[in-house]
């Protein structure tokens, strides 16, 4: 329950059913057969046949019959007791999703009970749950929570006056309605989220979110940061003169937005978003130059060692010639560093000689003490937990300063503009909407696993022509070990199939030194084909790598696929991204998997991808609180519930001003311990 965030009675009360099951009636199988519905059905029938078959894998097949109609029940996992329960001649109650087709009616993994048991007298709520937490238990504790939780009204009547439905359905009534459906209520009434009970909950949730955002904004307005003004002919100009390219218009515009923020005496809180390859790093480097020029330090934190190292190599290359004459340097901090190198870096950071510190989350560890941290940059910010982002800000305060560092976050997963503006009252957003010139668009192909051999041959040709390629294996969430085995197997297979190709293997559990060796080998061209797990996902930049194969692409999220694809198309050669997909058991991709692959094939534009991702996943998950363990929005949908969002945005500042106590109660009820997180 803690994992699900269900610690207080109110958390339980706000844990709403995902859906309901109608277990109140039985429908004759013959009627069901006439009009097959996607919802689960319930009927009773007699077992006429049972066998354990081997069709690809072991399975239990049971045929039941009622009123002259037959249905096949298929089980891939089963217990000996089920063989007895479904012995030929038994009458059983079957519940599941009925499918029709040439083979006749069938249900995969139905729930089976003995026939004749009493039926439910009201709809049964089905709650989101976790392994080991049974529905029956959840139902019981949630019902109890409705009695014990404080459900009193927190929204002042003045804000509800012209909102008829919101006023009539206060929290208590809405929750009772949704958790405890009255006998005889229809499914449609509950599942339609436009019902006033749902509207009320969405409105409450959005209000809590807006309140905490406005509050954070208010608090931030009271904070102080060092004003970092841009000097003429200073470091930024020197860097620009030394770069081998000109900034794009977008980079110039965004650079100016950041410079204006830095010059203020309030901490910058800005998200720099831009598609993969849009050139965010150089913009961040310019910001770092401004801070350094003003006599402050800058920290740049990246989510993976590979990415941090790459930043270090590039930025040290750019900046060392400019910093060295001033007695300054770039320092480097990662987890498994040699103690001597680490001690040296820590000393340089503490003395202030390290003007720029680049590293992984090692940068936020306790022992790291900055002399004067003026700017913190977080690359691929969505990959960090919120607590980690907060602690970078804390560094200056730890040092006993009244001032906070400016904060620049970067992300290649853009938030659609309307969403950013309305949802994040406390965040300024800069957008790089232009790619540097000379990029060739990546051609994306969907290829079925059945054509794998053909594809492997093509990879051989690709490499024979002097080009490099990535082969990405899926992250198997349940098991890191399985993950590894998968990548290792692909590595061995590809090596055997393509003897002329130099294959390398990269995965998260390689020791740092080996990771570096493999990556360096790939960058230097000593490795032609890099087999890896998704560790290469973020930021890696090898222009000669122009082919990417993603295995089991159907298992990846859309933004992840887009990030991966961004690793190719970085040079001038035409690049190809092959999304290799396998059909799961049953032969169908899920609707969302299909929508994701389709989106990838149809567009290369990160903003369009983000828009579709939002459509496919819904904003709660989209906004990426997965790392912090709690989705930011559970009920409201920012695209569909615009009217409610507008209401919440209007009400939040008024409520903070006129009813601060109620506002605090409301936020704590809805966000509990998480409200702090919204500030990061
Ligand atoms: P991302 O936004 O994905 O972090 P990077 O900052 O890694 O992208 O930039 C991608 C590549 O483009 C890098 O090799 C970088 O040096 C190069 N680059 C950045 N800006 C420009 C520009 N204005 N003109 C040409 N190349 C650029
Ligand atoms: Mg980057």
């Amino acid at each position: 329950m803690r994992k699900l965030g269900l610690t207080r009675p109110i958390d339980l009360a706000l844990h709403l059913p995902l859906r309901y099951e109608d277990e109140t009636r039985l429908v004759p199988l013959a009627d069901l057969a006439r009009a097959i519905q996607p919802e689960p059905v319930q009927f009773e029938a007699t077992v006429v046949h049972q066998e354990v078959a081997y069709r690809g894998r072991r399975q239990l097949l049971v045929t039941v019959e009622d009123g002259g109609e037959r249905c096949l029940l298929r089980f891939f996992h089963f217990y000996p007791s089920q063989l007895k329960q479904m012995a030929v001649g038994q009458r059983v109650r079957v519940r599941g999703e009925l499918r029709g087709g040439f083979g006749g009616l069938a249900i995969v993994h139905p729930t089976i009970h003995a026939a004749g048991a009493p039926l439910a007298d009201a709809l049964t709520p089905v709650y989101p749950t976790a392994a080991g937490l049974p529905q029956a238990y959840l139902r019981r504790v949630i019902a109890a929570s409705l009695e014990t939780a404080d459900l009193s009204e927190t929204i002042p009547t003045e804000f509800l006056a012209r909102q008829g439905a919101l006023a009539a359905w206060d929290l208590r009534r809405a929750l009772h309605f949704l958790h405890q459906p009255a006998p005889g209520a229809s499914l449609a009434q509950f599942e339609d989220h436009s019902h006033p009970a749902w509207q009320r909950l969405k409105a409450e949730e959005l209000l809590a979110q807006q309140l905490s955002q406005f509050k954070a904004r208010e608090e931030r307005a009271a904070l102080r940061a060092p004003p970092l003004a841009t000097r003429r002919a200073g470091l930024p100009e020197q860097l620009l003169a030394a770069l081998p390219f000109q900034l794009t218009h977008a980079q110039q515009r965004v650079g100016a937005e950041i410079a204006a923020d830095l010059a203020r005496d309030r901490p910058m809180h800005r998200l720099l978003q831009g598609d993969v390859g849009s050139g965010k790093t150089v913009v961040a480097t310019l910001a770092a130059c401004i801070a350094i020029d003003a006599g402050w330090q800058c920290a740049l934190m990246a989510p993976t060692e590979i990415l941090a190292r790459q930043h270090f190599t590039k930025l040290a290359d750019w900046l060392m010639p400019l910093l060295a004459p001033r007695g300054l340097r770039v320092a480097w901090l990662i987890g498994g560093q040699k103690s001597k190198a680490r001690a040296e870096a820590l000393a340089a950071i503490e003395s202030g000689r390290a003007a720029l510190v680049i590293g992984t989350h090692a940068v936020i560890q306790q022992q790291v003490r900055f002399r004067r941290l003026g700017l913190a940059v977080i690359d691929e910010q969505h990959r960090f937990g919120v607590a980690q982002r907060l602690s970078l800000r804390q560094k200056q305060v730890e040092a006993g300063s009244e001032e906070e560092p400016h904060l620049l976050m970067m992300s290649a997963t853009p938030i659609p503009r309307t969403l950013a503006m309305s949802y994040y009252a406390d965040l300024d957003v800069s957008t790089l909407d232009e790619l540097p010139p000379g990029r060739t668009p990546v051609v994306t192909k969907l290829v079925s696993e059945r054509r794998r051999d053909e594809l492997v041959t093509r990879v051989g040709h690709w490499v024979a022509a002097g080009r490099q390629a990535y082969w990405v294996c899926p992250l198997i969430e349940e098991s890191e070990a399985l993950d590894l085995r998968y990548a290792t197997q692909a590595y061995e297979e590809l090596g055997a199939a393509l003897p002329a190709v130099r294959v390398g293997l990269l995965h998260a559990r390689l020791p740092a030194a080996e990771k570096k060796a493999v990556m360096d080998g790939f960058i230097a061209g000593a490795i032609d084909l890099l087999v890896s797990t998704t560790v290469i996902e973020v930021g890696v930049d090898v222009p000669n790598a122009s082919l990417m194969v993603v295995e089991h692409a159907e298992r990846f999220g859309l933004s992840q696929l887009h990030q991966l694809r961004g690793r190719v198309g970085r040079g001038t050669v035409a690049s190809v991204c092959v999304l290799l997909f396998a059909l799961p058991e049953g032969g169908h991709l899920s609707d969302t998997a299909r929508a994701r692959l389709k989106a990838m094939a149809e567009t290369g534009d990160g903003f369009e991808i983000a828009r579709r991702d939002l459509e496919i996943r819904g904003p709660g998950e989209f906004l990426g609180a997965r790392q912090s363990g709690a989705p930011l929005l559970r009920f409201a949908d920012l695209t569909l519930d615009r009217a409610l969002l507008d209401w919440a945005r209007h009400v939040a500042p008024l409520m903070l001003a006129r009813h601060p106590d109620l506002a605090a109660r409301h936020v704590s009820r809805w966000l509990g311990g998480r409200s702090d997180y919204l500030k990061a």
Side-chain angles (χ1 to χ4, degrees), residues 341-672:
R342 182 178 166 78
E344 228 172 65
L346 288 178
I349 296 167
E350 195 158 0
S351 73
R353 269 191 309 116
L356 175 59
V357 183
I358 298 176
T360 56
H361 53 271
V363 171
I364 54 178
Q365 278 158 2
Q366 194 91 84
Q367 309 90 303
V368 185
R369 277 187 290 272
F370 288 87
R371 202 171 87 83
R372 304 177 83 196
L373 182 61
L375 170 66
V377 181
I378 303 183
D379 195 14
E380 309 291 347
Q381 61 94 22
H382 59 285
R383 300 273 304 238
F384 285 98
V386 187
Q388 291 172 313
R389 282 182 256 161
L390 270 177
S391 52
L392 196 46
R393 268 179 51 197
Q394 284 301 315
K395 279 283 166 203
Q396 209 28 31
V397 180
E398 272 168 30
S401 164
E402 310 252 294
E403 290 169 326
E404 292 224 356
H406 295 278
L407 183 59
L408 178 64
M409 294 168 277
M410 303 201 283
S411 170
T413 311
I415 307 170
R417 183 173 282 285
T418 49
L419 194 58
M421 292 198 312
S422 54
Y423 190 71
Y424 285 121
D426 185 39
L427 187 66
D428 298 310
V429 180
S430 289
T431 304
L432 287 177
D433 50 8
E434 179 186 0
L435 291 181
R439 301 275 165 85
T440 42
V442 180
V443 176
T444 301
K445 295 185 174 163
L446 304 184
V447 174
S448 158
E449 177 70 33
R450 283 189 295 244
R451 290 172 54 202
R452 187 190 181 95
D453 291 346
E454 200 180 314
L455 176 65
V456 170
T457 312
R458 294 266 186 124
V459 172
H461 294 328
W462 193 273
V463 168
R467 293 167 290 195
Q468 288 168 284
Y470 295 102
W471 187 287
V472 182
C473 299
L475 198 75
I476 298 162
E477 278 194 28
E478 311 86 67
S479 155
E480 225 184 300
L482 207 58
D483 207 39
L484 186 57
R485 202 171 73 205
Y486 208 102
T488 313
Q489 195 180 332
Y491 167 72
E492 279 162 8
E493 273 174 24
L494 288 165
L498 303 169
V501 171
R502 295 165 297 173
V503 187
L505 174 63
L506 191 67
H507 57 78
R509 292 208 293 186
L510 279 186
E514 261 178 73
K515 245 187 245 171
K516 176 174 179 322
V518 172
M519 212 49 223
D520 286 349
F522 192 58
I523 292 169
I527 290 174
D528 305 309
L529 175 61
L530 184 65
V531 177
S532 87
T533 53
T534 44
V535 289
I536 59 147
E537 180 190 342
V538 284
V540 173
D541 191 22
V542 181
N544 190 46
S546 48
L547 170 65
M548 165 162 296
V549 178
V550 182
E551 243 192 278
H552 279 298
E554 78 282 356
R555 295 189 192 164
F556 288 87
L558 188 49
S559 70
Q560 208 178 10
L561 286 174
H562 181 65
Q563 288 257 327
L564 281 170
R565 180 169 61 183
R567 298 311 113 216
V568 293
R570 304 208 141 213
T572 43
V573 277
S575 295
V576 178
C577 174
V578 176
L579 302 178
L580 196 57
F581 64 92
L583 299 180
E585 195 92 48
H588 297 284
L589 285 179
S590 71
D591 286 349
T592 54
R594 191 165 340 140
R596 289 195 298 255
L597 294 179
K598 186 160 172 279
M600 284 298 292
E602 284 174 0
T603 179
D605 174 352
F607 283 90
E608 177 61 16
I609 294 269
R611 201 187 58 72
R612 301 234 195 150
D613 204 18
L614 183 65
E615 232 171 59
I616 296 170
R617 288 201 286 167
E621 202 182 343
F622 175 86
L623 287 170
R626 286 187 66 176
Q627 292 88 351
S628 68
L632 295 182
L633 285 180
R634 290 179 283 169
F635 309 130
D637 177 325
L638 293 173
T639 39
L640 298 177
D641 300 319
R642 283 309 290 253
L644 292 175
L645 179 59
D646 289 344
W647 170 82
R649 283 181 69 196
H650 171 72
V651 166
L654 298 175
M655 187 160 160
L656 278 173
R658 297 184 202 156
H659 307 276
D661 294 349
L662 285 174
R665 249 175 70 204
H666 188 81
V667 170
S668 130
R669 168 182 288 175
W670 274 90
L671 303 170

